[in-house]
């Protein structure tokens, strides 16, 4: 048997790569992990974690307003962008150190360098100008914000990487895109007092989500003061005197802003990794092609996470990493389960969702029961806030299986995690109905909607 320097070499120190390295090392395998930037990857350094911290920051103005209805007198509030940025950086640095320490504490080696494949078993450590060999290789290099080189003036724009560390909080921002990243940052900047315009080429934001979620969120965002321009794309970005930017849209409308954030998708990080030299196949989008076990077209090379462009979520990358370890090192071939994944959009109000949307369910099931409710949550009653909460269950009318659960409102993401368990377990609407409610909560509505709001038969809505 050929002898190698390592049993496993991981390229990429994000959530998926770190988990695989840590668990494999704990099994007694000789493991090394190379990361060229910072441990923690997109999620910890420039994604989920700092974004959620900024979401919290942006919610305080509404909390201050709501406090009056509960008897509180709140003095003049002031926000300091630089303080938020500095505190965010301190927190992600703490998490970065933990990620690195977890690998080393399990017996793995960490290497701060870019790593490139030379062949199917050889890796070049670029910064150290040396090569090492490994029996198994895992690519977990993630993805990055998609660039827009065809846009005149794209060099004046920023992406999700830079947005967390702007030297100054802009007075006005235009965000292009309609996915969860664009929507979340639109709410963040608006909450921080920035004049915010969201520009999207499609007919509705969050196109992959249930129609009631996206329409209700759209309406609520506009009521808050966020401008949403649909069927629109930027055609030119030019810098004006004084440093402001003028954006010309395809509709002829011109916007003058301080920053333009492009959130138009993400691209797998596969360039200049030596994948071609090793014989690893990529698709037209540049993502690594893998089988159902995360194995590439080269038998000993694997890939997990965003670099495969399957499901771009941090918990999915971690799950795929755990399945990889089971398959490669525990003689227990395990396929990642990508079905019925709960997810959240940290908009304001936030979205929590799991399972099929009504539209998707109607394409697969002939008879649906739709349970839908909209109400003002209790926390808004004394504050006077008119913002509504929405909950929806999509049910197979023949088997009573709950196919989808969708929530818009406070703590929706927390509810989605628990709903994910119930849908994954294959529970029926009857199971929901015989579950006792917790009162008074907003979540109790999920188990007290006894009568369908309407039916869907052969794709057509039928009033109940």
């Amino acid at each position: 048997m050929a002898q190698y320097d390592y049993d496993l070499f991981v390229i990429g120190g994000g959530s998926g790569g770190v988990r695989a390295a840590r668990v494999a090392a704990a099994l007694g395998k000789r493991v090394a992990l190379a990361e060229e930037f910072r441990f923690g990857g997109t999620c910890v350094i420039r994604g989920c974690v700092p974004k959620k911290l900024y979401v919290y920051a942006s919610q305080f103005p509404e909390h201050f307003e709501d406090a009056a209805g509960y008897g509180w007198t709140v003095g003049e509030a002031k926000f300091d962008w630089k303080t938020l940025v500095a505190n965010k950086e301190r927190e992600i640095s703490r998490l970065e150190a933990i990620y690195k320490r977890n690998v080393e504490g399990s017996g793995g080696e960490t290497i701060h360098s870019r790593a490139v494949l030379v062949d199917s078993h050889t890796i070049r450590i670029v910064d150290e100008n040396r090569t090492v060999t490994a029996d198994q290789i895992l690519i977990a290099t993630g993805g990055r914000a998609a660039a827009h080189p065809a846009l005149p003036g794209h060099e004046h724009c920023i992406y999700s990487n830079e947005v967390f560390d702007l030297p100054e909080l802009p007075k006005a921002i235009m965000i292009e895109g309609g996915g969860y990243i664009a929507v979340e940052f639109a709410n963040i900047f608006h909450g921080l007092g920035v004049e915010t315009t969201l520009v999207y080429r499609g007919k509705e934001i969050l196109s992959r989500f249930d129609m009631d979620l996206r329409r209700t969120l759209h309406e609520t965002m506009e009521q808050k003061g966020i401008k949403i321009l649909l069927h629109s794309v930027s055609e030119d970005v030019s810098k004006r005197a004084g440093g402001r930017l003028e954006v010309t849209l395809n509709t002829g409308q011109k916007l003058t802003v301080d920053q333009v954030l492009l959130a138009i998708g993400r691209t797998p990080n596969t360039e200049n990794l030596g994948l071609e030299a090793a014989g690893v196949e990529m698709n037209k989008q540049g993502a690594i092609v893998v089988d159902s076990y995360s194995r590439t077209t080269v038998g000993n090379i694997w890939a997990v996470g965003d670099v495969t462009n399957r499901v771009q979520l941090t918990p999915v990358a971690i799950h795929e990493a755990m399945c990889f370890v089971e398959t490669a090192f525990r003689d227990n071939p395990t396929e990642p389960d990508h079905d019925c994944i709960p997810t959240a959009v940290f908009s304001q109000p936030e979205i929590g969702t799991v399972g099929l949307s009504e539209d998707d369910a109607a394409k697969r099931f002939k008879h649906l029961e739709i349970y839908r409710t909209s109400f003002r949550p209790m926390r808004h009653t004394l504050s006077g806030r008119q913002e509504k909460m929405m909950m929806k269950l999509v049910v197979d009318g023949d088997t009573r299986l709950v196919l989808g659960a969708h929530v818009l409102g406070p703590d929706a993401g927390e509810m989605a995690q628990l709903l994910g368990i119930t849908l994954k377990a294959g529970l029926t609407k009857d199971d929901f109905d015989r579950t006792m409610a917790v009162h008074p909560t907003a979540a109790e509505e999920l188990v007290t909607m006894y009568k369908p709001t309407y039916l869907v038969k052969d794709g057509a809505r039928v009033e109940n």
Side-chain angles (χ1 to χ4, degrees):
M1 179 178 177
Q3 294 299 308
Y4 302 100
D5 298 318
Y6 301 101
D7 300 310
L8 171 65
F9 194 99
V10 181
I11 303 178
S15 297
V18 165
R19 178 61 63 91
R22 180 170 66 83
V23 176
L27 292 175
K29 304 300 179 182
R30 297 168 301 154
V31 177
L33 185 154
E35 168 58 50
E36 67 175 336
F37 182 51
R38 300 178 69 177
F39 282 82
T42 296
C43 180
V44 171
I45 306 301
R46 48 187 177 266
C48 325
V49 172
K51 174 197 69 183
K52 190 70 178 291
L53 296 175
Y54 283 25
V55 167
Y56 288 143
S58 68
Q59 291 174 338
F60 280 100
E62 289 189 354
H63 294 334
F64 297 148
E65 291 176 2
D66 292 349
Y70 287 89
W72 289 91
T73 299
V74 179
E76 181 183 1
K78 294 183 180 180
F79 173 70
D80 184 72
W81 170 256
K82 288 183 171 62
T83 298
L84 174 62
V85 172
N87 288 344
K88 174 271 301 180
E89 182 60 31
R90 184 171 64 249
E91 173 60 11
I92 66 172
S93 295
R94 183 185 72 86
L95 293 173
E96 177 186 8
I98 292 173
Y99 269 59
K100 186 172 184 289
R101 188 165 63 245
N102 283 345
V103 174
E104 295 171 345
S106 297
E109 177 185 349
T110 59
I111 302 170
H112 191 193
S113 170
R114 182 172 183 80
V116 177
L117 296 177
V118 176
D119 57 39
S120 61
H121 287 284
T122 308
I123 307 101
R124 181 164 63 90
I125 311 301
V126 175
D127 292 5
E128 300 176 9
N129 193 29
R130 64 185 177 97
T131 60
V132 297
T133 59
D135 180 23
Q136 305 293 313
I137 297 172
L138 177 66
I139 310 296
T141 49
R144 65 183 184 280
H148 193 356
L151 173 65
H154 65 90
E155 66 274 12
H156 304 310
C157 303
I158 60 172
Y159 298 89
S160 56
N161 283 7
E162 301 93 344
V163 72
F164 293 108
D165 299 292
L166 295 175
E168 303 288 342
L169 183 68
K171 292 183 173 62
I173 190 169
M174 187 203 94
I175 301 173
E176 182 153 6
Y180 72 94
I181 295 175
V183 168
E184 288 172 337
F185 276 111
N187 284 274
I188 288 171
F189 280 107
H190 175 264
L192 296 178
V194 178
E195 180 184 329
T196 303
T197 303
L198 183 65
V199 172
Y200 180 48
R201 63 183 179 180
K203 62 181 180 180
E204 187 54 271
I205 59 174
L206 298 176
S207 59
R208 297 181 182 180
F209 289 76
D210 186 85
M211 58 184 175
D212 283 322
L213 288 179
R214 58 183 191 254
R215 290 171 184 168
T216 306
L217 177 61
H218 182 153
E219 293 170 2
T220 307
M221 288 172 62
E222 289 192 322
Q223 289 167 3
K224 289 175 181 284
I226 299 171
K227 299 176 185 175
I228 301 178
L229 305 178
L230 300 176
H231 303 291
S232 302
V233 295
S234 54
E235 292 190 334
D236 181 81
V237 180
S238 58
K239 184 164 286 191
R240 302 178 62 182
R244 303 202 82 193
L245 301 175
E246 183 177 84
V247 185
T248 303
L249 304 180
N250 62 319
T251 59
Q253 184 173 353
K254 293 183 183 293
L255 305 174
T256 301
V257 297
D258 301 295
Q259 294 285 356
V260 174
L261 169 62
L262 298 181
I264 53 176
R266 293 184 63 78
T267 301
N269 281 326
T270 52
E271 292 87 351
N272 303 315
L273 278 178
L275 297 175
E276 297 87 350
V280 176
E281 181 181 342
M282 292 174 283
N283 64 20
K284 293 181 180 179
Q285 289 73 43
I288 295 177
V289 176
V290 293
D291 66 11
S292 60
Y293 295 95
S294 301
R295 193 191 301 267
T296 73
T297 49
V298 178
N300 68 297
I301 300 180
W302 314 70
V304 298
D306 290 3
V307 75
T308 67
N309 203 25
R310 287 179 286 184
V311 181
Q312 297 180 4
L313 293 171
T314 297
V316 173
I318 294 172
H319 171 66
E320 291 171 355
M322 294 298 291
C323 292
F324 154 72
V325 172
E326 289 291 325
T327 303
F329 296 116
R330 283 182 166 160
D331 195 26
N332 179 32
T334 304
E335 298 178 81
D337 183 356
H338 295 121
D339 183 54
C340 205
I341 299 171
T343 189
V345 180
F346 294 106
S347 49
Q348 298 173 42
E350 69 184 50
I351 283 174
T353 182
V354 60
L356 298 178
S357 67
E358 179 183 330
D359 287 344
D360 288 341
K363 296 173 184 176
R364 296 168 56 177
F365 298 86
K366 288 188 175 183
H367 177 204
L368 298 178
E369 295 176 354
I370 306 300
Y371 298 80
R372 186 184 186 280
T373 183
S374 179
F375 57 95
R376 190 161 63 134
M378 189 176 183
R379 70 170 64 183
H380 293 340
T381 54
L382 295 190
S383 71
R385 187 169 297 281
Q386 297 301 309
E387 192 172 295
K388 293 292 187 70
M389 189 165 190
M390 192 209 78
M391 295 184 176
K392 181 176 181 178
L393 296 177
V394 180
V395 177
D396 179 5
D398 295 323
T399 65
R400 303 278 288 163
L401 184 70
V402 180
L403 305 172
H406 312 286
V407 181
L408 174 76
D411 303 317
E414 303 290 340
M415 293 185 212
Q417 180 64 84
L418 299 178
L419 285 166
I421 300 171
T422 63
L423 268 70
K424 197 68 177 174
L427 299 188
T428 66
K429 183 63 171 61
D430 297 328
D431 295 317
F432 276 63
D433 291 345
R434 61 172 172 259
T435 299
M436 198 69 72
V438 178
H439 182 76
T441 65
E444 68 181 294
E445 296 289 335
L446 292 165
V447 298
T448 57
M449 293 187 288
Y450 298 116
K451 182 179 179 181
T453 308
Y454 58 90
L455 308 177
V456 178
K457 294 185 177 181
D458 296 321
R461 177 169 169 169
V462 178
E463 295 302 326
N464 190 30

